[in-house]
Amino acid sequence: MSKKNAKKSSVKRLNKRLYKAELERLQTELVEMQQWVASSGQRVLVLFEGRDAAGKGGAIKRVMEYLNPRHARVVALPKPSKKERGQWYFQRYIERLPTAGEIVLMDRSWYNRAGVERVMGYCTEDKYQEFLRQAPIVENLLIEDGIILIKYWFSVSDDEQQARFASRVSDPMRRWKLSPTDLESILRWEDYSRAKDAMFAATDTQGSPWWTVESDDKRSARLNVINHLLSTIPRGRIELDEVSIPDRPDGGDYERPPAEQFNYVPDIAADLSAAKSKKAA
């Protein structure tokens, strides 16, 4: 790896202790907000867009971390199938819109057409122009039907993106995030910038605006986007019923079958503890 590719980020990070404390507070509010969405039957759709390695996935993970998966889900679609390529472009996204009482977070959305498809030449000029005309119309229809639609653009600098790509090369748990398209985006930085500007010009409307999230510092970006999301969704407060945990009744005449009759996963945790104790001794 070249020295250029291996350089570390020089971004000033938010203090980790402060970050964790504020994140916990905001995530508690997210849980309360979800309870209101579920009880009121609201539909919430949040689009997360931005360049590769801009921090969308990490932000989505923190939003979802404590939410009830019965009322919240992430949509991250692969490239369209042959059948989907023959459909109206928005169709496969429309099929995954939230139902009553549900929050849907889209990790990339129909704006793929205005970004990677435009830059990489995956769609024709006519299809691209058609998308720019139709997107505001589609979004307006969703909003008219009662869906709360929020669009976030995660903005990352070229130096920070380069540093994040480099960090993925040697990280076996994140290596899968580094695709040929990601690497190509380094060479097409200005093309993506022009595509983003054109997309904003056509789709940053009064009824469905884009909200930019400065994301060179991932911690700050996560706090900022969650805080904004909470402030954007008008909600009431849910009064929870008091819960009283009953005393456990006696077991009666029930006898548990012998443990030897069942299959158990190997207890490697016990082996680790034993190895640590042995090393300490």
Side-chain angles (χ1 to χ4, degrees):
M1 186 188 303
S2 69
K3 290 184 179 180
K4 179 180 179 182
N5 288 337
K7 67 180 180 180
K8 294 184 179 180
S9 170
S10 59
V11 174
K12 185 177 180 180
R13 311 293 180 187
L14 177 66
N15 177 274
K16 191 173 184 179
R17 180 180 60 80
L18 295 176
Y19 163 70
K20 286 189 172 182
E22 181 64 6
L23 180 62
E24 181 178 356
R25 185 187 73 80
L26 291 172
Q27 288 178 323
T28 299
E29 286 197 35
L30 279 173
V31 172
E32 294 175 354
M33 180 268 286
Q34 185 190 35
Q35 291 172 333
W36 175 80
V37 169
S39 65
S40 64
Q42 294 291 326
R43 292 169 291 163
V44 178
L45 175 63
V46 189
L47 310 187
F48 290 77
E49 292 287 348
R51 295 179 187 268
D52 299 314
K56 302 179 295 297
I60 291 172
K61 180 179 179 180
R62 272 65 183 188
V63 172
M64 282 291 298
E65 192 167 7
Y66 296 105
L67 298 187
N68 185 340
R70 292 186 178 89
H71 301 289
R73 56 188 166 90
V74 177
V75 173
L77 299 183
K79 65 180 183 180
S81 64
K82 181 178 179 180
K83 177 182 178 181
E84 289 172 332
R85 290 195 296 271
Q87 298 173 344
W88 176 44
Y89 177 72
F90 290 91
Q91 187 168 335
R92 70 180 189 143
Y93 297 101
I94 297 297
E95 291 172 350
R96 293 165 172 86
L97 293 178
T99 189
E102 188 177 37
I103 300 170
V104 169
L105 311 178
M106 284 194 175
D107 186 352
R108 296 195 181 278
S109 65
W110 46 78
Y111 283 103
N112 275 335
R113 174 137 295 178
V116 64
E117 291 191 20
R118 169 64 168 172
V119 173
M120 300 299 292
Y122 296 155
C123 69
T124 65
E125 177 68 20
D126 288 344
K127 289 295 184 181
Y128 167 71
Q129 294 297 337
E130 181 180 75
F131 169 81
L132 293 183
R133 291 193 303 270
Q134 290 185 352
I137 298 172
V138 170
E139 291 171 10
N140 187 54
L141 290 173
L142 298 182
I143 294 168
E144 281 188 358
D145 199 57
I147 290 178
I148 298 173
L149 173 62
I150 308 168
K151 303 186 302 192
Y152 290 118
W153 175 267
F154 282 69
S155 179
V156 65
S157 66
D158 52 354
D159 285 344
E160 180 63 17
Q161 185 193 54
Q162 188 92 0
R164 291 178 186 178
F165 282 158
S167 70
R168 292 177 178 180
V169 172
S170 57
D171 188 341
M173 290 187 289
R174 296 189 301 151
R175 181 64 179 80
W176 62 270
K177 290 186 174 184
L178 199 58
S179 69
T181 302
D182 294 336
L183 300 178
E184 184 70 21
S185 69
I186 297 175
L187 305 177
R188 297 175 180 259
W189 179 270
E190 291 188 0
D191 292 336
Y192 274 101
S193 294
R194 295 188 184 95
K196 178 258 185 180
D197 292 343
M199 180 185 79
F200 267 45
T203 64
D204 184 19
T205 64
Q206 183 175 358
S208 181
W210 280 102
W211 295 95
T212 299
V213 182
E214 296 291 347
S215 62
D216 273 10
D217 177 13
K218 291 182 179 181
R219 294 173 186 167
S220 296
R222 293 164 186 169
L223 298 183
N224 291 339
V225 76
I226 295 175
N227 179 71
H228 183 268
L229 177 61
L230 289 167
S231 70
T232 303
I233 299 176
R235 64 189 190 278
R237 191 169 185 84
I238 301 298
E239 296 296 333
L240 300 179
D241 296 333
E242 291 188 9
V243 177
S244 178
I245 300 177
D247 294 332
R248 188 178 300 277
D250 294 335
D253 58 355
Y254 172 75
E255 291 187 11
R256 185 176 181 178
E260 294 76 14
Q261 293 184 9
F262 304 99
N263 298 311
Y264 292 85
V265 298
D267 190 359
I268 64 166
D271 296 338
L272 292 174
S273 299
K276 184 177 180 180
S277 299
K278 184 178 180 180
K279 185 177 181 181

